[in-house]
């Protein structure tokens, strides 16, 4: 005997569509599975708020890196934060980019919102002298960063992980770290793509790529099979731009001079060869002097103060003391990037960085969503950055 189903009632004003497997027999088991899926979706979205058509739920960032990226790559979630006002729906955003005069447009480029791009502009101060000496070194382009681009972009709101976009590096015995030239007509985006070459994306860390979070830019994924990370508009709130102690290696009260290239030592004092002392009229002035002076010396490996005014600069074999005393100490990074006047930390204003990948760009004149496109340029305006 066939079961007698109750007559369908007229739909309420708000309805939810449930996707049913095509061709599956309409059985009570299938109906139960659909109901469970619907209840899970209702709970994940915070109690039954209506879902816009085509909007995926936020990703559960508490999952392991592999499970998190499996959900994202499989089109089961997106990286937006409903607790901060994100809706996952299409919106217009205004993005900025400091760029050489010979590099324009948004395709395969990184940009920032106003606060995020100020942070990038200040970071560029670190590379000015180095790029003059070696135009092919990391972060340098052949042309001077002479233009500011302001772009209005329509995005689908289904954010993906931020990916780095850089010009293709070519020539020489080691195009990864010592390229002969960079093709600024061909920018390449990808996870951990600081040094793109014809063999793929490369990163300074030689260890194999792992899905998850790198601590600086949030989640990062490589979607083998779907390549969704190369189609979704990427967004990140870089940790080194955020104005919170939790995103810094030293307390924010230590001032901007100490925010980049130093790591506070917790509960112990550094000791080593004291080769110089600096004295401030307060803790704040002493910190600024010590961090500035240590940065100027390639041999300086850290500093210690026992009275919050006189700071001992250390070199040689520097290590934590076994004796516990009241002090402040910090390790100093010794590589070339940090041993220069640093503008990192000055611009801890918050903000976001974005990626607009070629794979997600809408065809000219076509609306958002055409063939799965995730972004389209609405307007662009360039100004002289000088």
């Amino acid at each position: 005997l066939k079961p007698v189903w109750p007559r369908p009632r007229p739909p309420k004003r708000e309805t939810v569509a449930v996707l049913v497997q095509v061709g599956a027999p309409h059985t009570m088991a299938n109906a139960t599975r659909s109901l469970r899926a619907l209840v899970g979706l209702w709970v994940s979205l915070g109690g039954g708020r209506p879902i816009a058509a085509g909007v995926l739920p936020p990703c559960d960032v508490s999952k392991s890196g592999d499970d998190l990226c499996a959900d994202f790559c499989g089109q089961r979630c997106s990286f937006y934060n409903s607790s901060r006002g994100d809706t996952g729906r299409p919106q217009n955003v205004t993005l900025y980019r400091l760029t050489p005069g010979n590099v324009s447009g948004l395709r395969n480029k990184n940009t920032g919102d106003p606060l995020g791009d100020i942070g990038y502009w200040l970071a560029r101060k670190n590379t000015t002298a180095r790029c003059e000496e070696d135009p092919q070194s990391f972060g340098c382009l052949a042309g001077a960063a002479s233009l500011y681009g302001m772009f209005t972009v329509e995005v689908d709101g289904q954010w993906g992980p931020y990916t780095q976009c850089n010009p293709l590096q070519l020539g020489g015995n080691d195009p990864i770290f010592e390229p002969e030239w960079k093709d600024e007509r061909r920018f390449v985006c990808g996870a951990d793509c600081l040094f793109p070459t014809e063999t793929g994306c490369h990163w300074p860390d030689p260890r194999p790529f792992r899905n998850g979070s790198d601590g600086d830019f949030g989640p990062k994924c490589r979607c083998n099979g779907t390549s969704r990370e190369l189609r979704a508009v990427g967004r990140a709130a870089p940790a080194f731009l955020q104005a919170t102690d939790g995103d810094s290696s030293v307390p924010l009260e230590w001032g901007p001079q100490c925010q980049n290239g130093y790591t506070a030592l917790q509960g112990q004092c550094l000791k080593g060869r004291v080769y110089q002392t600096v004295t401030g009229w307060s803790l704040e002035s002493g910190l600024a002097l010590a961090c500035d002076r240590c940065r100027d010396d390639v041999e300086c490996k850290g500093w210690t103060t026992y009275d919050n005014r006189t700071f001992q600069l250390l070199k040689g074999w520097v290590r934590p003391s076994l004796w516990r005393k009241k002090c402040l100490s910090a390790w100093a990074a010794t590589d070339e990037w940090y041993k220069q006047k640093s503008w990192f930390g000055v611009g801890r204003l918050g903000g976001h960085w974005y990626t607009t990948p070629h794979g997600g760009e809408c065809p000219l004149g076509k609306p958002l969503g055409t063939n799965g496109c995730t972004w389209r340029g609405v307007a662009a305006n360039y100004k002289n950055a000088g």
Side-chain angles (χ1 to χ4, degrees):
L1 296 176
K2 292 183 179 180
V4 179
W5 295 93
R7 253 181 122 162
R9 297 180 181 178
K12 295 181 180 180
R13 185 178 60 174
E14 293 182 355
T15 61
V16 177
V18 179
L19 297 177
V20 181
Q21 183 180 350
V22 176
H26 190 73
T27 64
M28 184 62 73
N30 282 333
T32 302
R33 281 194 292 269
S34 296
L35 180 60
R36 287 175 178 169
L38 182 59
V39 170
L41 187 59
W42 183 87
V43 171
S44 70
L45 291 178
R49 289 174 292 176
I51 308 165
V55 175
L56 300 173
C59 293
D60 182 356
V61 295
S62 67
K63 290 186 174 182
S64 69
D66 286 338
D67 289 343
L68 175 66
C69 289
D71 285 347
F72 171 78
C73 297
Q75 293 280 151
R76 295 189 288 274
C77 69
S78 298
F79 290 115
Y80 66 93
N81 190 338
S82 56
S83 67
R84 294 186 178 179
D86 291 342
T87 64
R89 298 186 175 111
Q91 59 183 288
N92 280 7
V93 293
T94 301
L95 305 178
Y96 297 83
R97 176 176 171 82
L98 182 64
T99 183
N102 63 330
V103 178
S104 61
L106 283 175
R107 179 184 299 166
N108 276 2
K109 301 295 193 304
N110 294 130
T111 53
D113 60 17
L115 293 180
D117 205 56
I118 289 173
Y120 174 77
W121 181 83
L122 290 169
R124 292 290 301 172
K125 293 289 186 180
N126 276 21
T127 63
T128 302
R130 179 167 54 82
C131 290
E132 287 291 332
E133 296 174 359
D134 182 8
Q136 300 303 327
S137 62
F138 169 66
C140 304
L141 297 177
S146 57
L147 291 180
Y148 244 126
M150 181 176 72
F151 308 90
T152 302
V153 187
E154 185 182 13
V155 298
D156 66 357
Q158 294 285 291
W159 305 111
Y162 176 84
T163 55
Q164 293 82 12
C165 302
N166 288 290
L168 192 68
Q169 302 187 170
L170 299 163
N173 296 324
D174 184 6
I176 298 176
F177 296 110
E178 296 181 4
E180 289 186 349
W181 65 290
K182 298 177 183 179
D183 189 346
E184 294 169 7
R185 301 165 300 176
R186 300 166 62 189
F187 273 66
V188 178
C189 300
D192 287 0
C193 203
L194 283 186
F195 314 119
T197 69
E198 292 181 309
T199 62
C201 288
H202 306 279
W203 190 258
D205 189 340
R207 290 176 295 181
F209 178 87
R210 294 182 61 183
N211 288 322
S213 175
D214 64 3
D216 281 330
F217 297 102
K220 59 180 183 179
C221 302
R222 284 183 180 169
C223 301
N224 299 325
T226 68
S227 298
R228 189 186 174 198
E229 86 282 14
L230 302 180
R231 291 183 288 107
V233 177
R235 185 182 69 167
F240 44 83
L241 297 183
Q242 307 311 308
T244 59
D245 280 343
D247 297 318
S248 176
S249 298
V250 301
L252 287 179
E253 310 88 73
W254 282 20
Q257 292 87 347
C258 301
Q259 292 301 317
N260 190 44
Y262 291 95
T263 302
L265 192 67
Q266 302 295 332
Q268 287 181 299
C269 305
L270 281 182
K271 68 177 183 178
R273 179 185 168 191
V274 179
Y275 73 96
Q276 189 177 353
T277 60
V278 295
T279 302
W281 56 91
S282 64
L283 171 61
E284 292 76 15
S285 63
L287 286 165
L289 289 169
C291 289
D292 243 3
R293 190 69 58 83
C294 187
R295 191 184 305 280
D296 285 341
D297 191 335
V298 295
E299 294 187 357
C300 183
K301 296 182 179 178
W303 51 255
T304 292
T305 178
Y306 296 99
D307 62 4
N308 290 347
R309 288 189 59 195
T310 302
F311 290 73
Q312 301 175 350
L313 306 188
L314 309 172
K315 65 180 181 180
W317 181 32
V318 176
R319 67 277 186 197
S321 171
L322 297 178
W323 298 99
R324 291 189 175 272
K325 299 180 180 179
K326 290 184 177 181
C327 66
L328 285 179
S329 291
W331 298 98
T334 56
D335 57 78
E336 179 185 1
W337 172 262
Y338 296 105
K339 289 300 183 180
Q340 57 183 324
K341 291 297 183 183
S342 176
W343 287 72
F344 264 20
V346 178
R348 295 179 72 87
L349 304 174
H352 292 85
W353 287 0
Y354 296 81
T355 307
T356 41
H358 188 188
E361 185 178 9
C362 294
L364 186 63
K366 299 297 182 180
L368 198 68
T370 302
N371 299 326
C373 68
T374 60
W375 67 274
R376 68 182 191 93
V378 176
N381 189 21
Y382 290 92
K383 296 289 185 180
N384 191 325

